[in-house]
Amino acid sequence: MSYTQLLTPEEKLAAAKKLLSLPHIVVICGSTRFMAEMNEADLRETKAGKIVVKPGIDEKSPRGLWSDPVDAEALKGRLDDLHRAKIRLADEVLVVGDYIGDSTRAEIVYARSLGKPVRFAHPEADPDA
C-alpha cells in the first residue's frame, strides 16, 4: 500500500506557479539608498521577461512616515515582514548595491535558508564570497 506524501507549502507554491505558467519571479534586495539601482535592475529584469518585486518604500527618503519614532519602528517591522514574504514568493534574489548592511545580510541569510538562489549585481559585495 502506498501513501501520498503531503506537499510542503513551498512545494505547493512551486506547483501553483507552474500550473499558472508564471514567469520567473525575482525579488530585489539591498539598502534603500540604492533605489535608483533597484529601479534600473527592475527595468533589466522585466525586459528579460521576469516578474520583479522590490521594496515599495524608500526608508532613506524623508517622509512623514518616519516622523514618529514609535510609528517608524512599527512600520519598519511590517516592511521587513512584507519583504520576507516577497523572498518566499520569489524564485531568485537579486542583491543590488556595493554595500551590504545588517538588514540586507539578514535577507540574504533568510533567502539561502530557503534554498533560494542569490545573485549579486556587485559580486564582490557577497558576504560569503
Side-chain angles (χ1 to χ4, degrees), residues 66-107:
W66 316 116
S67 60
D68 180 319
V70 174
D71 289 344
E73 189 62 31
L75 177 58
K76 169 105 171 80
R78 289 193 310 274
L79 294 174
D80 289 347
D81 290 345
L82 181 61
H83 202 67
R84 282 190 294 276
K86 291 175 184 180
I87 291 169
R88 289 192 305 276
L89 175 68
D91 300 304
E92 172 189 27
V93 173
L94 172 60
V95 180
V96 302
D98 56 2
Y99 162 79
I100 306 295
D102 292 339
S103 293
T104 303
R105 188 177 320 278
E107 292 167 355

